[in-house]
Every structure is written in C-alpha cells, then in structure tokens.
Amino acid sequence: IPVDDFDLVIFGGTGDLARRKILPGLYRRCLSGQVPDDARIIGAARSDMDTEGYRQMIREAIAEFGGPEAADGKAIDRFLTRLHYVTVDARGDGGWKELHDLLRKDVINAFYFSVGPGLFGDLAERLLRFEIADTNARIVVEKPFGRDLESARALNATLAQHFNEDQIYRIDHYLGKETVQNLMAVRFGNVLFEPLWNNHYVDHIQITVAETVGVEGRGAYYDKSGAMRDMVQNHLMQLLCLIAMEPPSMFDADAVRDEKLKVIRALQPVDYHHIVRGQYDKTRTSADYRTDAEDPRSHTESFVALKAHINNWRWAGVPFYMRTGKKLKARSSEIAVVFKDLGHSIFPGDEARHRNILSIQLQPNEGIKLQVTIKEPGPGGMRLVDVPLDMTFAEALGPDAEGVPDAYERLIMDVIRGNQTLFMRGDEVEAAWAWTDPIIEGWKARNDVPKLYDQGSSGPEDALMLLHRDGRKWREIK
Ligand code: NAD
C-alpha cells in the first residue's frame, strides 16, 4: 500500500547506519512502488559535499549493501534523483536556512536523527528555531537511548522540551522484524494459543540472541556498554514484552505499549545468583575480548544469561531465561515457548516427556514452528516422534514477489504512515533501564569478573548450569 508524499531528512546521512541500512532500505521500498514519485530524501551531515557527491556516495552504498535489487542500474538512477544533500552542523547555524527553504511544507516531514544522542538536543532546538519542524513533524531516534535510567530520562526530557510524545519514534529494529509481528498475529489471531499462554500450560520461556561476530572495530565503544546495555535492555526486553503482555484491547500504538509497560513494571528484580556474565577467550588464531576492547583489564561482558520472573497472575512461577552474546556457535535468535510435559502417557514405553514447543525464529531465517508429537509412520507400532509444524509464511503463502521488507524498511514506512505501534515509548525505555540499572550497579559494587568462554561455544559453563539446576536445558544454538 503506497504511503503519502513525504520529505525525509536524515541527519547523519553520510554515516555508517545511513549507508548500510537506511538508504538501501528506502531504495528497496521505492522499487516496490510504495513510495510516491515526488517523495524526497535529504541527507544532512557535517561533511562538506554537494547533492551530486551525495548521490555518488549513496550509489556506492546501494551497490554494496542493497542486496540483489542493487543490480538494476536504471532503478538506482531513478532513486538517486530523489536525493538531496545539505551540509549542516548540529552545533552551528550554517546550512539550516537552506534546509528550511528546501523542505516542502505541504507533505509529511520526517527527521531521522542518525547521529549520536549527544546531538539530539542541538538538532531539536535548531529544527524549531529555524522553523523547519512543526507539531506535525516526525522525529526518529536510534539506539542507544541512554546508558542508564538517569541519562534516558535526560534524553526524554530534551526531546519533550521540543516535541510531543506522539511525534517521537524510538527505533528498536527487532520490533520491525516480520516474525515479531507475526508473533502477535499468531497469539491474538488464533483461538488455539491464548488459552494455553499462562503458568498452567507453559513450563518456561527462552529468549536467545546469539551472534558469531565479536566486537569487531567497535571495541572501545562497546566496552563502555556491554551485552546488558547493548542487547538486553532493549532488544531482549522488547521480545519479552511481546511474549508476555496481556492482549491489548486493540492493535493500536498506545494500547500495545501500555501492555508492554505493565510487563516491564511487573518484572521481579533479578537475584544475582540468576545472572551469568561472560567474556570470550582467545583462540590460537583470534584475540580475546579484552584485546578487542583495547582494555586488558576490562570487566565488561560480551555475554549475559539470566533468569527473570514476572510478578503477575499469568506468569507466576514461570521462568523467562534470556541470553545473548558475541562469538558464539551460530548466528541465531529465537524465542521458545516451552509447554509443560504431558504428565501421563497412555502409550506403552513412552515417558510422557513430549513437549510442545513454539519456536519463533528471528535469525537467520525468520519463521514460526510448533513442535508436536505424532506417530512415527510405518508398521513399527505406536512409536511417537516429535515433528515441527511449520508456520513459515514463505512456504505457506508462496514466494512474495516483493520480498519481505527488512526491519528498517518497514519501520521507516511506519513513520511516514504515523504508526507508532512498533516504536518504544519514553516510559517503556525508562522502565527497562529501571530494571537493568540495579543489575549493572550490583556487578560494579561487587567488582564482578565475567567468566571466560570459548569462542564458537554456547557461552560459559555457568550459563548451562543456570537451567540445569532447574532441571531444564537451553535450546541448541544453531
Ligand atoms: P557514524 O559515525 O558512521 O556517522 C555519524 C554521522 O553523523 C555522520 O554522517 C556525520 O557527518 C554526522 N555528524 C556527526 N557530528 C555531526 C554534527 N555535529 N552535525 C551534523 N552531523 C554530524 O555513526 P553511525 O554508525 O551511522 O550511527 C549513527 C547513530 O545510530 C549512532 O547514535 C549509533 O549509535 C546509532 N546506531 C548505529 C548502528 C549501526 O549499525 N551503525 C546501529 C544502531 C544504532
């Protein structure tokens, strides 16, 4: 469905995120016919460059990051005519008048802050002082949204000084994934799951976001953050909210976000015996975390596993195990809802340990599978076997001519549509920090040293023990 006409300004339009994700994503949306012919994209950054130079830069970015669609030279030429560039310094006054004159007032105006959070206040202030943004403008901001509760509050206050909450789109690209939305469709669009979605039938839930990459060139930056701030506070907690929330009364931004907020507020403070931190060790051929982080004494974690509890009627007693880390065995993100054992089996020789598992896979392949128990085909008698019932839409619906839009593409189109459902509200972000801050402060106070783990493994031994102690085990990372 085409969106309305717009002018989108990307502050930081020459940066890594803009070149790798935002512009290739917009290019694919244009190819799909969703973007009106007149819509324009305006790069705005500090580099001294003209529109021609910018178009050339983005041509190269699309060739590198645009995927198979980047082979269509004519389509790229057409896309590039939409692009403009203005040199602006967020902290100076040059270029802003030019930006003001360039923008069309009679179309949707969106401003993507693809710059460090330290510049949000400067950008916001100038957007208003130069009468560029009004109360209809949409502001998109990127993670990291603060590094603790105090800084997140300060950022929210800075934005609130200039804009209303319904103008602010805080991106968590995990929420833009097709499967995350499909999860809501499966939960709330079927009669089958909701009656079982509680502590009577669910044994536990696992959320895994495993990466194979290390901190690469971003070591010094990452070292100030760590897995808890970089992944758990945002991506993993957002997934937890969608799994655990009560059904909203309608699929509307505030109704959904109200329910997510209730989940975060109901989280029990984590017992530190229920958290494992890790750092990847060196191998014969690659360096350890501390070398990559450029600090031989770093105590920052590149892995974290924890057991959380939600204090409400639905989830009382159901553990939510979460883990994320770098340099693990495989790149794989999965949410698994593990239902309880049967209790009693009528089949001879069967131990009634068959478990239905709903597996929501976000990476590398998106899809949803339900593990069910059936009879093994053949004359071997009543032998039971667990098989996955595949709800992957690509197979069910046939190959989609347009391709499945990537998370960034979808979210940017939602900004233009004015739909905030898949964006974090300010109070959600603050509540998430309020839960993670004491964990991080606790580590600091105890001078906690992360456990070493082998590269290419599933994390430290202690993380396996976290479930083993409860008579459970992690799903395999594959
Ligand atoms: P980058 O360093 O590659 O680019 C920064 C951009 O900001 C450049 O275009 C630069 O010209 C511009 N800029 C810097 N100072 C400026 C100023 N004073 N005035 C105007 N423009 C200025 O950074 P990036 O990797 O593109 O990241 C941008 C933001 O997105 C950061 O907050 C980052 O944390 C976040 N983010 C990045 C990624 C990623 O994959 N790169 C992922 C998630 C979030």
Side-chain angles (χ1 to χ4, degrees):
I1 308 166
V3 296
D4 290 339
D5 196 6
F6 63 84
D7 278 353
L8 167 66
V9 178
I10 306 173
F11 292 109
T14 58
D16 174 70
L17 182 68
R19 283 181 294 115
R20 236 162 16 89
K21 289 285 180 187
I22 305 173
L23 283 142
L26 282 162
Y27 165 63
R28 282 192 296 270
R29 285 298 89 207
C30 288
L31 262 189
S32 78
Q34 199 173 12
V35 177
D37 289 342
D38 293 338
R40 299 183 309 170
I41 298 153
I42 297 148
R46 228 172 5 177
S47 322
D48 199 8
M49 193 187 287
D50 61 8
T51 289
E52 263 328 297
Y54 189 58
R55 288 178 180 169
Q56 187 50 34
M57 175 191 242
I58 301 308
R59 183 190 292 283
E60 287 161 21
I62 293 174
E64 192 172 351
F65 305 113
E69 292 90 343
D72 187 346
K74 283 213 180 85
I76 296 182
D77 287 342
R78 273 199 309 279
F79 174 72
L80 293 177
T81 62
R82 298 174 182 278
L83 300 192
H84 298 264
Y85 183 81
V86 184
T87 305
V88 287
D89 184 343
R91 298 210 157 112
D93 289 345
W96 290 90
K97 165 102 181 36
E98 197 188 327
L99 184 59
H100 169 275
D101 295 346
L102 186 62
L103 283 181
R104 295 173 297 164
K105 279 288 156 214
D106 55 345
V107 297
I108 292 162
N109 286 183
F111 301 90
Y112 199 130
F113 290 9
S114 182
V115 295
L119 295 178
F120 290 0
D122 296 300
L123 291 177
E125 188 268 323
R126 283 173 177 75
L127 280 175
L128 294 188
R129 177 149 56 87
F130 287 90
E131 296 179 358
I132 297 171
D134 59 20
T135 49
N136 293 316
R138 289 156 202 180
I139 309 297
V140 185
V141 299
E142 268 294 335
K143 91 169 200 188
F145 202 83
R147 63 181 330 274
D148 53 21
L149 177 57
E150 194 186 337
S151 53
R153 273 193 183 139
L155 270 184
N156 276 335
T158 302
L159 291 173
Q161 224 181 329
H162 302 95
F163 306 108
N164 300 318
E165 181 64 32
D166 65 8
Q167 295 182 268
I168 303 169
Y169 294 74
R170 293 175 195 78
I171 290 219
D172 185 320
H173 70 273
Y174 270 62
L175 295 182
K177 289 182 181 286
E178 181 70 26
T179 303
V180 166
Q181 291 161 75
N182 201 9
L183 162 65
M184 289 190 270
V186 167
R187 263 197 79 181
F188 304 126
N190 291 286
V191 74
L192 283 184
F193 297 103
E194 211 41 35
L196 308 180
W197 213 261
N198 55 49
N199 60 1
H200 298 291
Y201 294 98
V202 174
D203 181 76
H204 71 278
I205 286 169
Q206 296 188 16
I207 303 177
T208 297
V209 176
E211 298 179 287
T212 49
V213 293
V215 292
E216 312 299 272
R218 303 162 57 233
Y221 160 82
Y222 183 88
D223 201 49
K224 292 194 212 81
S225 164
M228 195 71 187
R229 288 192 172 97
D230 192 51
M231 299 297 290
V232 177
Q233 185 275 344
N234 39 61
H235 307 317
L236 276 82
M237 287 186 73
Q238 287 293 320
L239 298 179
L240 171 90
C241 284
L242 296 177
I243 280 283
M245 70 181 182
E246 295 299 312
S249 58
M250 55 183 160
F251 194 61
D252 138 301
D254 276 326
V256 170
R257 297 186 299 177
D258 286 345
E259 296 306 335
K260 284 165 61 196
L261 179 63
K262 284 188 211 160
V263 172
I264 305 176
R265 292 202 170 140
L267 277 167
Q268 193 173 302
V270 179
D271 178 336
Y272 89 93
H273 295 294
H274 294 163
I275 314 183
V276 178
R277 317 163 73 209
Q279 263 185 1
Y280 57 81
D281 203 352
K282 61 175 177 297
T283 67
R284 262 191 306 125
T285 50
S286 58
D288 61 358
Y289 173 78
R290 290 176 172 195
T291 308
D292 286 349
E294 298 164 31
D295 176 359
R297 294 175 345 148
S298 170
H299 285 179
T300 303
E301 74 286 354
S302 62
F303 174 98
V304 63
L306 61 87
K307 174 162 80 163
H309 280 283
I310 298 172
N311 284 336
N312 63 20
W313 276 28
R314 185 188 283 265
W315 297 117
V318 178
F320 286 73
Y321 299 102
M322 302 197 262
R323 67 179 161 169
T324 180
K326 294 192 177 291
K327 293 260 187 183
L328 296 178
K329 209 171 150 184
R331 175 170 172 262
S332 159
S333 302
E334 187 205 49
I335 309 170
V337 180
V338 182
F339 291 91
K340 291 195 171 175
D341 285 345
L342 266 186
H344 167 74
S345 177
I346 62 168
F347 303 107
D350 180 47
E351 288 170 4
R353 287 203 44 97
H354 294 285
R355 285 191 163 172
N356 294 122
I357 299 174
L358 184 70
S359 151
I360 300 125
Q361 194 105 42
L362 306 171
Q363 245 163 217
N365 302 313
E366 294 198 45
I368 302 186
K369 286 183 183 160
L370 178 64
Q371 179 177 298
V372 292
T373 302
I374 59 167
K375 179 188 169 297
E376 197 177 278
M382 212 43 183
R383 288 236 292 270
L384 302 185
V385 57
D386 296 333
V387 294
L389 201 67
D390 200 334
M391 295 190 241
T392 307
F393 53 91
E395 283 171 27
L397 304 180
D400 180 355
E402 237 188 63
V404 178
D406 139 284
Y408 273 97
E409 298 171 37
R410 176 189 315 277
L411 292 173
I412 296 170
M413 290 300 105
D414 275 0
V415 172
I416 306 300
R417 285 198 201 93
N419 183 352
Q420 289 183 303
T421 311
L422 300 175
F423 297 85
M424 297 179 291
R425 209 167 54 192
D427 51 3
E428 265 183 83
V429 177
E430 289 183 16
W433 282 120
W435 186 68
T436 51
D437 271 5
I439 300 175
I440 297 169
E441 281 158 17
W443 288 333
K444 209 169 153 203
R446 286 191 306 277
N447 206 12
D448 189 86
V449 182
K451 302 278 186 305
L452 288 179
Y453 62 93
D454 290 337
Q455 296 187 25
S457 72
S458 306
E461 196 64 27
D462 291 33
L464 306 182
M465 289 307 294
L466 184 70
L467 271 76
H468 194 70
R469 278 204 303 262
D470 296 346
R472 301 186 175 100
K473 66 176 204 252
W474 287 108
R475 308 252 304 152
E476 200 187 330
I477 297 177
K478 57 179 183 194

